[in-house]
Amino acid sequence: MTRVAKILVVAAAALFGAVSAGAQTIQLNGAGSTFGTPIYTKWFSEYNKIHPNVQINYQSIGSGGGIQQVTAHTVDFGASDGPMTPEQMAKAPGIMHFPTVLGGVVPMYNIPGVNVDLRFTGPVLANIYLGRITKWNDPAIAKLNPGVKFPALPIAVVHRADGSGTTYIWADYLSRVSPEWKTKVGVSTSLKWPVGVGGKGSEGVSGQVRQQPGAIGYVELIYALQNHIAYGFVQNADGKFLKATLGGVTAAAAAAARKMPADFRVSIVNAPGPDAYPIASFTWLLVYRHPSDAVRGKIMKDFLHWMLGDGQKYCADLGYAPLPREVIRMEEAAVDKLQQ
Amino acid sequence: MSTLCAAAVVLALLPLGFILFYIVSRGISALNPAFFTKLPKPSGETGGGMANAIVGTLKLIGLASAASVPAGIGAGIYISEFPGSRTSTLVRFCADVLNGVPSIVVGIVAYGLVVLPMKRFSAIAGAVALAIMMVPIITRSTEELLRLVPVSLREGALALGASRARAVWSVVLPSALPGIITGVLIAVARIAGETAPLLFTSFNNQFWAPGLDQPTASLTVQIYNYAISPYDDWHRQAWAGALVLVAIVLAFSMLARVATRRLERMNVG
Amino acid sequence: MARTRRRIPWSDAGFRAATGLAAFLVVGIAVVIGLELFRNSRVPIHEFGWKFWTNKDWDPVNGEFGAYTFIWGTLYSSLIALLLGAPVALGIAIFIVEVGPLRLRRGLGFLTDLLAAVPSIVYGLWGIFVLVPLVRKVETAIAGSRLSNLPIFSGPPYGIGMLAAGIILAIMIVPYISSVAREVLRAVPQSQREAAYALGATKWETIRIVVRYGRSGILGAVFLGLGRALGETMAVTMVIGNSPQISASLFAPQYTMAAVIANEFTEATGDLYLQSLIEIGLVLFAITLAINVLSRFLIWSVSRERRPRPRATPARLPEPA
């Protein structure tokens, strides 16, 4: 018995001790937006290569989750693609928003036999998501896409099951182009969806669309690219049909960049301009102005400076647009104010 | 009629065969040394592994067992030593109640009790949730097995002048030990495969999680995250993780069965 | 070699205290669970009261929360699971205890119990990649036929939805029902079978009598499976579609109590939202508690009937529980 006990004790010590290697390693925890997950996880991995003793653990649980956990102080920072509402900010005093990248939300679909990029208008997308257009061979869709042969397949609407900033951006856009959507459903990270199936995370939605014939979903551009799934053109405020590109997203931010409010909470959906992609958005990190742990706060500050400098170089490869220069300048000043 | 029953057996074993076939065939192709030694890669990149998740699962099992085994065995001893009292009936009832609580509910309670006050997700919170699920299983099986020990054994010890505690500790427990271990193994097999309570207690982690107060990766949560993702490489890793997980659970279940068989043989003789 | 024995002061009182503490812990945990759920649902309880159980809305934007759609989804999926799984489990139990060749019995029991060892996340994984495409094929075939006019087969064939969830739950509860049913059938005294044979019954008539004798225990086993199905989270949330709606259609994506908690808990912003989810946890806890207590009572009553009842007895106190 004692020998067994000794072996168990040694094994336990090894288990707990071995993975404590590197006593100076410090871990930060963040959670939130799945919209930004590809670039965030890339950043944290690269930052860890430069600073091996800093590990930033990021979990993509949705923007709503980021807001909730940062409010409850269970994480060191949050991430969201929908800026916090005044009510949410009242519950979480001292949280600052820092834009990180620009991204676009695209309509992705899976229609057997259709291999071209389809054109959508805002009202058509709204009607699909309201359940008014139920089949792919509906005349409203056919009118926008002459020459495409649509099967009489029911449209399998996919949306986010979890609280999501991507949902916020999508709903923000639909509210501006469809008064019915605005009154009936509204804008938030979690909605009462009229129709459709819920997928968990952008990962879940794109996974679902991939597997379901006739499905349509909305995801961040990168998920459509990484998954090699068709995504469509969307008509912008000026009437042009655009496919989400870095240029289009950057153009959408151009007007906002000049008028950026001090707290960085701004919407660039349906922005004016011939080249502006209509469903574009900033995405933000939610950081405590006065974190309880000074060491972690300093690391956060360092990371933000790195993010605004070298970090922006990783954007293009992953399908995000880097921040406009004016915004970066404003942010550097704001980052300096942290912990003061 | 017997064909109907035989058909029922086949109908139940079909999905089992199906599942095991898929796990093994898809999982084996993704099993490589990197899987066991590397950390997860950023979204969309291939390669990487579940090393921290495997260690995390073992760590959570270890912590949960450390907390629940003494409590469960102690409660089981109490019920079997003082069987008539109302407290014993109450304890038995509560153990049965706890056995039926959905694991997601246990997760909620652990979130409120551990995560919020500590203001962080941690291995401790996850272990608390798992321990809550293990305690009733261990309690009931300990009680059942202690009752199986012949009364003559206990009475003999008492007749020789041992105190009650001594009788239990030196005589009754050792003879029931294999069975108690079986109960512990069954409890471990049960919680090793749990995901829901870990979702908001131990959370998840892309890195190693030293110590007990950090979010910890676990096989189950990692499989979940990978399975609902759109990346093929992650899907393959999810199957590999499922294979490893089922292997761990089966190993514990098999051990439990072997121990039960040995115990039966001991007691019959 | 004489060893001087140290007198270790095992005091009986200390023993009772130590084990009593552990026992108290078990009770304490159960009580704490109930209390914590209740304590953290105060806001929606105050806001909605009993209407929470009947409100069909789940609207985080407007702060309208109600458990009705989730209760529906949970009960519907569990019902399908029972309809599919209970007969199979019972058939297995009968096969193993009464009918099957002796050599197969232990192995079959082991294999059936193996179903219980598969973690639910693995069921979910198998569900989305293997079962759902299969179900989609079946649903597409049904949708193309005349059956699609029936309400339970209406709607687009997603694959994901109530049917897939019900099937997975059925597979998952078979081992629980089957192992308890096996024990119940084994507990039926041999004298019953012998008496039946003595009266000239065939094998199947005997089995009918045995099953009838153990019927309350078997019912208890079924309820045990039901309790399991009600609380199952991961496998269901991956295949049910996560859509809070009430639909009679098997094809429609719906939502269960456990699934909505798992999906929305970490991101519920605001006290009302978070505590509404906790109140759903409370509802789930209450329902599973009731079902489990009922099932234990039924199973226990079978073994109770075996004890010979004393005939002509003077008035006496009821037997202890």
Side-chain angles (χ1 to χ4, degrees):
Chain A
M1 180 70 166
T2 33
R3 204 190 313 165
V4 172
K6 277 197 204 132
I7 296 178
L8 280 177
V9 168
V10 169
L15 198 64
F16 289 117
V19 292
S20 317
Q24 267 84 3
T25 312
I26 188 156
Q27 247 191 31
L28 269 68
N29 295 303
S33 149
T34 60
F35 182 95
T37 301
I39 184 79
Y40 292 156
T41 48
K42 180 75 179 164
W43 275 344
F44 299 137
S45 163
E46 293 299 320
Y47 193 76
N48 176 247
K49 289 191 192 135
I50 306 174
H51 300 105
N53 62 325
V54 174
Q55 295 173 340
I56 307 181
N57 167 33
Y58 181 77
Q59 295 302 321
S60 60
I61 58 176
S63 297
I67 296 175
Q68 164 67 3
Q69 297 311 322
V70 86
T71 308
H73 290 264
T74 49
V75 291
D76 297 300
F77 65 92
S80 170
D81 337 303
M84 288 170 78
T85 64
E87 295 88 5
Q88 289 167 341
M89 300 216 55
K91 291 231 179 66
I95 291 197
M96 297 179 66
H97 290 64
F98 287 99
T100 50
V101 289
L102 287 161
V105 179
V106 300
M108 62 190 289
Y109 48 86
N110 172 3
I111 312 170
V114 172
N115 296 317
V116 297
D117 294 329
L118 296 177
R119 297 170 149 212
F120 297 97
T121 61
V124 163
L125 285 173
N127 284 331
I128 292 177
Y129 270 81
L130 282 167
R132 298 217 174 282
I133 299 181
T134 52
K135 282 201 147 77
W136 279 109
N137 58 353
D138 190 287
I141 305 179
K143 197 168 55 159
L144 297 169
N145 297 282
V148 179
K149 199 159 181 308
F150 288 100
L153 199 57
I155 302 183
V157 173
V158 183
H159 55 76
R160 288 284 290 272
D162 48 328
S164 148
T166 318
T167 296
Y168 186 97
I169 302 167
W170 186 255
D172 194 8
Y173 174 68
L174 292 184
S175 293
R176 287 167 200 258
V177 297
S178 164
E180 192 188 351
W181 182 273
K182 191 169 173 158
T183 41
K184 203 164 167 217
V185 188
V187 186
S188 170
T189 52
S190 279
L191 297 174
K192 187 166 187 277
W193 297 92
V195 292
V197 157
K200 189 131 206 292
S202 290
E203 299 96 345
V205 170
S206 38
Q208 175 65 13
V209 172
R210 243 189 113 186
Q211 290 165 25
Q212 174 85 42
I216 183 172
Y218 60 88
V219 285
E220 213 289 307
L221 173 60
I222 180 63
Y223 289 96
L225 290 174
Q226 281 177 336
N227 238 10
H228 310 293
I229 297 208
Y231 62 97
F233 291 82
V234 185
Q235 191 179 43
N236 69 0
D238 278 20
K240 263 180 79 176
F241 284 93
L242 288 177
K243 239 182 125 168
T245 57
L246 300 187
V249 167
T250 313
R258 286 185 284 277
K259 289 183 290 162
M260 181 65 76
D263 64 354
F264 299 110
R265 293 161 64 224
V266 69
S267 163
I268 55 172
V269 156
N270 219 20
D275 296 320
Y277 181 70
I279 323 181
S281 173
F282 283 102
T283 183
W284 294 265
L285 283 182
L286 307 170
V287 181
Y288 301 109
R289 190 185 175 123
H290 297 287
S292 51
D293 184 327
V295 175
R296 289 210 162 89
K298 174 107 189 1
I299 295 179
M300 206 59 224
K301 236 172 131 158
D302 279 341
F303 171 77
L304 285 173
H305 278 304
W306 178 84
M307 180 271 289
L308 291 167
D310 287 335
Q312 296 290 307
K313 292 196 289 240
Y314 293 99
C315 294
D317 280 336
L318 289 172
Y320 298 91
L323 297 170
R325 243 170 312 190
E326 301 91 340
V327 177
I328 292 183
R329 248 179 300 131
M330 275 181 78
E331 272 194 72
E332 296 271 12
V335 173
D336 285 329
K337 288 215 205 75
L338 281 176
Q339 287 190 300
Q340 281 171 8
Chain B
M1 257 310 242
S2 34
T3 34
L4 266 183
C5 288
V9 174
V10 171
L11 205 58
L13 296 184
L14 249 174
L16 180 68
F18 228 161
I19 293 174
L20 288 178
F21 169 73
Y22 266 94
I23 296 176
V24 170
S25 65
R26 298 226 182 147
I28 285 211
S29 62
L31 271 187
N32 50 30
F35 182 83
F36 289 99
T37 52
K38 290 230 160 66
L39 293 175
K41 281 254 160 82
S43 227
E45 290 183 24
T46 55
M50 286 202 193
N52 59 343
I54 298 175
V55 170
T57 293
L58 294 174
K59 192 169 172 178
L60 287 168
I61 293 179
L63 276 176
S65 303
S68 60
V69 166
I73 295 184
I77 294 177
Y78 186 90
I79 305 180
S80 72
E81 284 298 304
F82 310 102
S85 70
R86 240 175 299 159
T87 328
S88 289
T89 326
L90 179 62
V91 175
R92 202 177 289 127
F93 177 72
C94 285
D96 284 340
V97 163
L98 283 178
N99 260 328
V101 175
S103 57
I104 187 87
V105 172
V106 176
I108 297 178
V109 172
Y111 178 79
L113 288 179
V114 186
V115 175
L116 284 183
M118 271 180 77
K119 290 221 180 298
R120 57 191 310 114
F121 296 102
S122 61
I124 293 187
V128 165
L130 294 180
I132 293 179
M133 296 179 67
M134 284 178 77
V135 162
I137 303 178
I138 300 178
T139 304
R140 289 300 257 128
S141 65
T142 304
E143 180 219 342
E144 296 283 332
L145 286 151
L146 283 179
R147 252 198 291 151
L148 281 178
V149 174
V151 179
S152 49
L153 219 59
R154 192 183 278 111
E155 287 179 348
L158 290 172
L160 285 173
S163 70
R164 192 159 217 178
R166 194 67 201 262
V168 168
W169 185 258
S170 306
V171 178
V172 179
L173 260 190
S175 64
L177 200 59
I180 293 179
I181 294 182
T182 308
V184 172
L185 289 172
I186 293 179
V188 167
R190 168 100 170 81
I191 55 121
E194 282 293 336
T195 320
L198 298 180
L199 288 176
F200 21 88
T201 47
S202 62
F203 212 39
N204 200 3
N205 201 330
Q206 283 141 345
F207 299 98
W208 295 107
L212 304 174
D213 62 347
Q214 304 276 31
T216 309
S218 51
L219 263 182
T220 45
V221 175
Q222 196 74 313
I223 294 174
Y224 178 56
N225 285 338
Y226 278 14
I228 57 174
S229 78
Y231 312 116
D232 278 331
D233 187 58
W234 279 14
H235 290 172
R236 267 199 308 275
Q237 288 193 40
W239 283 110
L243 182 59
V244 173
L245 183 63
V246 169
I248 293 180
V249 171
L250 275 183
F252 281 113
S253 309
M254 295 288 217
L255 268 174
R257 267 201 115 82
V258 164
T260 319
R261 198 85 50 82
R262 193 172 290 176
L263 177 72
E264 280 173 5
R265 241 179 281 142
M266 267 174 57
N267 272 350
V268 163
Chain C
M1 184 177 73
R3 275 208 311 179
T4 36
R5 236 222 253 100
R6 217 184 107 227
R7 217 150 243 289
I8 304 164
W10 298 100
S11 73
D12 275 352
F15 172 73
R16 191 164 182 144
T19 52
L21 188 65
F24 175 71
L25 199 67
V26 174
V27 177
I29 295 176
V31 168
V32 160
I33 290 183
L35 281 183
E36 270 293 298
L37 289 174
F38 207 68
R39 187 173 71 94
N40 290 327
S41 325
R42 257 171 315 167
V43 172
I45 289 179
H46 178 78
E47 176 93 5
F48 302 120
W50 285 109
K51 276 197 292 158
F52 188 75
W53 291 66
T54 54
N55 188 355
K56 291 201 188 117
D57 273 333
W58 185 260
D59 192 349
V61 179
N62 296 319
E64 274 295 313
F65 297 104
Y68 194 74
T69 42
F70 308 106
I71 298 178
W72 164 268
T74 307
L75 291 180
Y76 194 4
S77 56
S78 305
L79 181 68
I80 299 176
L82 277 189
L83 285 176
L84 294 176
V88 171
L90 195 55
I92 296 175
I94 295 177
F95 189 83
I96 292 182
V97 177
E98 305 284 335
V99 175
L102 273 165
R103 261 173 302 159
L104 279 185
R105 284 187 195 181
R106 191 171 245 165
L108 281 179
F110 169 70
L111 282 178
T112 322
D113 290 346
L114 213 56
L115 277 174
V118 177
S120 85
I121 183 70
V122 176
Y123 273 113
L125 186 66
W126 178 77
I128 27 174
F129 290 121
V130 181
L131 184 67
V132 164
L134 271 179
V135 171
R136 194 181 294 135
K137 282 208 189 91
V138 170
E139 286 183 2
T140 315
I142 295 182
S145 76
R146 291 259 293 268
L147 286 171
S148 65
N149 294 322
L150 291 172
I152 63 164
F153 291 130
S154 63
Y158 282 109
I160 281 203
M162 185 54 73
L163 183 59
I167 293 177
I168 277 213
L169 280 177
I171 300 174
M172 292 177 78
I173 64 173
V174 157
Y176 293 93
I177 301 180
S178 152
S179 74
V180 176
R182 265 183 280 152
E183 294 304 319
V184 167
L185 289 178
R186 274 201 206 111
V188 172
Q190 195 64 3
S191 52
Q192 293 285 320
R193 295 184 185 84
E194 288 170 0
Y197 285 132
L199 287 171
T202 64
K203 182 151 187 132
W204 281 101
E205 286 168 348
T206 312
I207 291 181
R208 278 228 314 268
I209 291 174
V210 169
V211 169
R212 195 146 174 280
Y213 187 91
R215 67 187 176 285
S216 52
I218 292 179
L219 194 60
V222 170
F223 275 140
L224 198 71
L226 176 63
R228 232 2 223 125
L230 292 174
E232 178 47 50
T233 315
M234 297 317 292
V236 170
T237 187
M238 287 165 91
V239 303
I240 199 169
N242 303 329
S243 191
Q245 54 172 341
I246 300 185
S247 170
S249 169
L250 288 171
F251 294 179
Q254 297 179 53
Y255 225 158
T256 63
M257 291 189 271
V260 71
I261 299 174
N263 274 328
E264 302 194 2
F265 196 78
T266 43
E267 58 191 42
T269 45
D271 270 345
L272 183 61
Y273 193 177
L274 186 67
Q275 295 205 1
S276 295
L277 285 170
I278 298 182
E279 195 180 346
I280 289 190
L282 181 61
V283 171
L284 183 61
F285 178 62
I287 295 182
T288 40
L289 183 61
I291 299 273
N292 276 315
V293 167
L294 182 60
S295 102
R296 297 261 168 224
F297 179 73
L298 285 170
I299 296 173
W300 163 82
S301 70
V302 167
S303 53
R304 194 159 176 255
E305 274 167 28
R306 286 179 54 204
R307 270 182 264 147
R309 288 184 208 276
R311 274 175 289 147
T313 54
R316 58 193 290 203
L317 297 167
E319 284 182 14

